[in-house]
Amino acid sequence: MTDTTSEDNRTYPRPAYAWYVVVLMMFFYVLSFMDRQIIAVLIDPIKADLALTDVQISLIGGVSFGLFYSIVGIFIGRLADSMNRPFLIAAGVFIWSLTTALCGLASKFWQLLVLRMGVGLGEAALLPSTLSLLADYFPANRRATPTSVFLLGAPIGIGLSFAIGGYLFSVAKELTATDGWADVAFVGGAAAWQLVLIFLGVLGMVMTAAMITVREPRSRALQRAASDTSTPAAEPADLLTVRRYARKHRKAIVALYVTMAMISLAAYGQGFWDIAYLIRTYELDTATASFQYGMVQLFAGLAGMLTGGIVADRLSARGIDGASYRMVIIGAAIATPFSFLYPIMDSKNLGLVFMALAIFGSNICFASAAAALQRMFPVVMIGVDAGVYYFLSNSIGLLVGPFAIAAGTDYILGDPDQIRYSISVVTGVARAIGLLLVLWGLSAYLKTLAETKE
C-alpha cells in the first residue's frame, strides 16, 4: 500500500492541484454552456431587432454552432493525443469567447450565422482535450469521480445560462435605456442583447488567462508507461477490426447510438425553445421566464445525472447485467410522456413540474449511456467509438432539434404563439422513438456483454 501511494504521488500531480484543475475545467464547461445557450434567452429581442423568423433563429442557435462543434470535435480529439492540451483548451476558450463578443457587434443575420460557427469551433476543443488531460492527472482507479465532477458543468451551465442570462438581459436593458447611452465609447448604442453577448465574451477572454496555471502532464505519463514493464501497452484497434466488431454487434450499437441521438434531439430542441414557449404561452417577461427555466434545468438536470449513475452502480453491485443500459430505458420511459404533456398544460406551474420530469428522465439517459457504451466495446476500441457516438448525438441534436421545432411553428402551425404544440410533438415523438429503440436493443446488448466477458 505504501509503495502504491508513493508511486501515485511521484508520477501524478498532487491531489490538491489535480482537483484545482478539475474545478477550473468545470468552470470553463459552465461558461461554454452559457455561451452556447444564451441565444435561447435572447430569441425574441434578436428577432425583433433583426426581423428574423424562428427558422433563422434556429439556424443561428443550432445548425451553425452544431455543424462545427460536432465535426471539429472528432479532429480535436486526435490533436489532443499529441498537442499541448492546456494550450489547446486555452485556444478554444479564447476563440469561442472572442466570437461570442463579436456576435454582440453583429447587425445582420449572416454575421451571426458565421460567428456562431466560430463559437462551435472553439467549444469543440474543451470536452475531448479535458477528458484526455484528466486521464493523466488521476490514476485509473480514481478517475471516475473527477471526470463526473467536470461533466456536471453541463447541467450547471444550462441552468445558470438561463437564470443568470435573464438577469443580465434585464440589467443590460436598464443600462441601454439610460440617457447618454449612445455616446458611451465602444458599446454606445448597442442593444441589450448585444451587450449581454459582449459581456460574456469579454469574461471568457479574461478567464482564459487562468489556463497559465494548468500544466501539461504528458511527459510524466510517458515516463510512467516506459517504466511499467509489468503490463504491455495496449495498441488501439485498427479500423478494420472496429468495423468487423461493429458489424457483428450492430443491433446493440444502433439501438444505443440512435436512441441517444433522439434523446439529444429532444433535449437540444427543448433547451433552445422552452424560454420562448414560457414567454409566448404564459406571457412572462424574459427575466422571469429565464430564471424559472434555469432553476428547472439546474435541479432536474443534476438530479437526473446523479440518479442515473448512482442507481446504475447499485444495480450492478446486485449482479444485474446491463444496469446502465436499463437505466437508459428507465430515463426514456420517464421523459417521453411528460415531453408530450408539459408544453400543452394550461397551468404554468403544472407545465414546469412536467418539464422538470422530462429533463430529469433525459439526464438519467445521458448519465447512463456513456457507461453503457464503455461496457459494450473492448478498451482498445472505446476512443474511436465514443467519438462516433458524440458526433452522432451532437450533430443530430444540435442540427435537427431546434430547427424541427421552428419549422413546425413557421411552416405548419404558421403562428409563433403556437410553439407549445410544435415542442410537444417534436420532443415527445423523438423520445418515444428513442424508448422503442432502446427496448428493441436490450437483448442484443445483453448478448454483447456476455461475449465481452468470455
Side-chain angles (χ1 to χ4, degrees), residues 27 43 122 130 144 230 246 364 373:
F27 276 122
I43 285 176
T130 300
S230 60
I364 289 177
L373 181 148

Side-chain angles (χ1 to χ4, degrees), residues 376-435:
M376 186 164 52
F377 292 98
V379 174
V380 293
M381 298 183 185
I382 289 177
V384 63
D385 290 299
V388 175
Y389 166 80
Y390 282 111
F391 167 77
L392 188 64
S393 61
N394 284 324
S395 59
I396 290 180
L398 286 165
L399 300 181
V400 179
F403 178 82
I405 292 174
T409 304
D410 281 354
Y411 303 139
I412 298 177
L413 299 173
D415 181 1
D417 289 336
Q418 301 302 310
I419 193 170
R420 61 195 302 190
Y421 299 107
S422 185
I423 292 174
S424 175
V425 171
V426 171
T427 63
V429 169
R431 285 171 174 144
I433 292 172
L435 175 59

Side-chain angles (χ1 to χ4, degrees), residues 69 72 88-89 91-93 95-96 99 117-126:
Y69 182 77
V72 175
L88 199 59
I89 294 169
V93 174
I95 289 171
W96 96 56
T99 48
M117 293 178 185
V119 177
L121 174 66
E123 289 195 19
L126 182 62

Side-chain angles (χ1 to χ4, degrees), residues 121-133:
L121 174 66
E123 289 195 19
L126 182 62
L127 185 60
S129 300
T130 300
L131 293 179
S132 174
L133 188 69

Side-chain angles (χ1 to χ4, degrees), residues 294-337:
M295 292 299 98
V296 169
Q297 276 281 3
L298 179 61
F299 291 107
L302 287 175
M305 285 280 187
L306 294 174
T307 299
I310 292 171
V311 175
D313 283 344
R314 291 185 177 180
L315 291 176
S316 295
R318 294 179 181 178
I320 297 177
D321 290 335
S324 294
Y325 190 96
R326 296 177 192 273
M327 287 305 298
V328 176
I329 296 175
I330 292 172
I334 294 172
T336 298

Side-chain angles (χ1 to χ4, degrees), residues 171 174 231 346 425 433:
V171 172
E174 292 179 5
T231 304
D346 291 330
V425 171
I433 292 172

